[in-house]
Amino acid sequence: MANIFGIDGVGLKLVAQAKELAGKIEQRAIEVDNDAKFPSESIAELAAAGFFGLCNPVELGGNGQSPGVFAAVVEELAQACPSTAMIYVMHVCASQTFVTSHTLANREALLKQISAGEHLTTLAFSERGSRSQFWAPVSEMRDDSQGSFTTSASKSWVTSANHADSYVSSSQKPGASSPLESTLYVARRNAKGVNVSGSFNGLGLRGNDSAPVEFIDVAVSQGELLTPQGEGAAMMLEVVLPWFSVGTAAMAHGLCLAAISATQKHLSNAGFSYDGTKLRDLPNLRARVAEMSCRTAQSRALLGFTTQLMLDPDDQTPLYVLQSRMAALEAALHVTDLGMKACGGAAFSRHLGIEQMFRDARAGWVMAPTVDHLQEFIGRALTGLPLF
Ligand SMILES: Cc1cc2nc3c(=O)[nH]c(=O)nc-3n(C[C@H](O)[C@H](O)[C@H](O)COP(=O)(O)OP(=O)(O)OC[C@H]3O[C@@H](n4cnc5c(N)ncnc54)[C@H](O)[C@@H]3O)c2cc1C
């Protein structure tokens, strides 16, 4: 059967390798969820197997793979351990800012380190003052007039906060007249003034360590800027948003596929001893699993089409990217909800794993751009209005 992402050759081999790794990663997933434990061993295995540089340039030690391969790998990880998939998605998205930066001083060395599995990175966009509206940071960069800058910020959610080596961060440029005049920069976790200020105890993705981080008078050198001053929004929207949309859509689909598989098993095995029938003999439950499968297939097909469009983008591609994320997030809520209903009390208890998928699926919806933002962006684009 043709691959839904149109991938072949090396890409397919990498996805098969990810599937094999996912088998090991899955064994730790219950502990990760129960104890809100960062999946360090799973992340180390991904690093050792070369997945940190999956989409980085080949000449800098990466695998040079496409958004389609990224999506297929993330689907495998999300079926095994959604927290691991989340950490990985944020790492790949942040890495893409290094790949595309023209201002980062040690770009090549950093990308080689990442591809060698020696550097985990993440995104630190959300701030207490701008909440989910990541495109409008409230933190400001001050120019110290010696070719370097200083910034303070309350970053409200940073995946891998205690474990990432660096945070790809945002602030307003010095003297900005609007929050849209932002700059992206890289901050080292161990830099002076960078402090993880809380811990993460969430409903879902409980192992992703998405904690708040305070930046207090952090020095940012010219070479740590990822964009020229004031051009951060363009990188957020043109680089981070597409990779983030693909990665989180693939995560949502991984959750859908896992929920379908658990539901199929339960309906086929559990039954009524008084007459020997199985749950699958009830037509309403069969209808639910059919709807789960259909909805997932629709959304995966849209993402597969979109990742292929991204290889040769045109003016419709951004719209498809946003629609793919929106469709996948909505599908994940619907499909995991149907799994809960189809499997009844057994799903409500923890042993089938469906309640975890149901909880984890809700995280995607509130991550920025949220479904509210996506609807607004898509609606504005379709009616000829500017995005902001
Ligand atoms: C598990 C997890 C991991 C995360 N990891 C990261 C990370 O690594 N890096 C990072 O930067 N952030 C991260 N985030 C933060 C995330 O991207 C959002 O910023 C955060 O969830 C927003 O929460 P809030 O309470 O501030 O939402 P609010 O902004 O207060 O939103 C509340 C509601 O208002 C709606 N709303 C807000 N603005 C508008 C608008 N303009 N139009 C219509 N409706 C609107 C929202 O859709 C939402 O329903 C993470 C979040 C989660 C849950």
Side-chain angles (χ1 to χ4, degrees):
M1 191 174 81
N3 182 277
I4 199 164
F5 301 106
I7 53 183
D8 52 21
V10 178
L12 277 186
K13 280 195 191 136
L14 285 161
V15 177
Q17 201 187 340
K19 193 180 179 71
E20 209 179 306
L21 262 183
K24 286 202 215 165
I25 287 171
E26 188 172 19
Q27 292 166 22
R28 307 179 193 107
I30 291 177
E31 190 188 359
V32 166
D33 179 56
N34 276 346
D35 302 346
K37 183 181 168 205
F38 188 83
S40 297
E41 297 97 323
S42 302
I43 295 300
E45 281 168 4
L46 284 169
F51 282 95
F52 272 21
L54 182 72
C55 305
N56 290 357
V58 175
E59 63 278 15
L60 297 175
N63 286 111
Q65 293 298 312
S66 63
V69 175
F70 172 48
V73 165
V74 170
E75 262 190 4
E76 295 298 340
L77 300 180
Q79 286 174 75
C81 174
S83 288
T84 300
M86 175 76 208
I87 293 157
Y88 184 66
V89 165
M90 289 317 219
H91 168 79
V92 171
C93 293
S95 298
Q96 285 304 309
T97 67
F98 305 151
V99 171
T100 51
S101 175
H102 298 296
T103 50
L104 180 64
N106 62 348
R107 174 182 172 276
E108 294 192 359
L110 187 53
L111 284 168
K112 281 183 186 165
Q113 231 187 334
I114 287 176
S115 299
E118 293 162 2
H119 186 107
L120 179 71
T121 187
T122 190
L123 297 175
F125 287 171
S126 302
E127 296 189 353
R128 202 161 294 146
S130 50
R131 308 189 69 83
S132 59
Q133 299 182 6
F134 64 90
W135 55 89
V138 292
S139 63
E140 293 169 11
M141 209 176 269
R142 300 184 297 280
D143 189 343
D144 69 8
S145 307
Q146 290 161 16
S148 61
F149 308 90
T150 310
T151 190
S152 296
S154 287
K155 297 293 176 181
S156 44
W157 304 74
V158 182
T159 294
S160 313
N162 290 283
H163 299 84
D165 298 287
S166 65
Y167 306 140
V168 167
S169 193
S170 52
S171 79
Q172 292 182 28
K173 74 170 193 182
S177 55
S178 141
L180 293 180
E181 293 177 8
S182 62
T183 301
L184 299 193
Y185 61 97
V186 57
R188 302 280 169 163
R189 177 168 59 87
N190 58 9
K192 191 163 173 271
V194 174
N195 302 302
V196 178
S197 55
S199 57
F200 177 71
N201 186 7
L203 176 74
L205 299 183
R206 287 177 46 75
N208 88 126
D209 183 27
S210 193
V213 179
E214 287 294 318
F215 290 6
I216 302 164
D217 294 330
V218 174
V220 181
S221 68
Q222 186 75 37
E224 286 170 323
L225 299 185
L226 291 163
T227 64
Q229 290 287 4
E231 294 180 24
M235 192 184 260
M236 282 185 196
L237 297 177
E238 290 163 21
V239 177
V240 179
L241 184 56
W243 285 92
F244 179 78
S245 296
V246 168
T248 50
M251 266 184 69
H253 295 155
L255 288 164
C256 291
L257 293 169
I260 293 168
S261 166
T263 304
Q264 282 172 306
K265 268 191 215 130
H266 187 65
L267 298 192
S268 308
N269 292 325
F272 304 96
S273 50
Y274 75 89
D275 65 356
T277 60
K278 301 279 189 202
L279 288 173
R280 69 182 173 203
D281 293 314
L282 292 168
N284 58 327
L285 304 191
R286 292 197 301 269
R288 284 189 181 128
V289 77
E291 168 131 19
M292 290 166 79
S293 178
C294 183
R295 185 74 186 261
T296 305
Q298 284 172 341
S299 186
R300 288 184 77 225
L302 176 60
L303 183 63
F305 176 73
T306 301
T307 55
Q308 293 181 67
L309 264 187
M310 288 168 80
L311 300 177
D312 185 16
D314 60 22
D315 58 356
Q316 291 297 299
T317 309
L319 191 60
Y320 275 95
V321 166
L322 296 176
Q323 291 178 155
S324 292
R325 173 164 154 81
M326 184 171 135
L329 302 180
E330 297 277 41
L333 292 198
H334 188 57
V335 167
T336 55
D337 185 51
L338 284 171
M340 292 293 292
K341 288 172 181 158
C343 299
F348 195 79
S349 101
R350 303 196 81 176
H351 68 282
L352 292 187
I354 296 179
E355 63 81 40
Q356 186 195 333
M357 296 154 204
F358 176 80
R359 287 185 284 109
D360 287 345
R362 305 209 69 86
W365 206 100
V366 302
M367 263 178 241
T370 67
V371 168
D372 287 327
H373 300 147
L374 292 165
Q375 285 173 337
E376 176 64 358
F377 289 165
I378 294 166
R380 291 181 82 86
L382 290 174
T383 56
L385 289 172
L387 220 48
F388 301 110

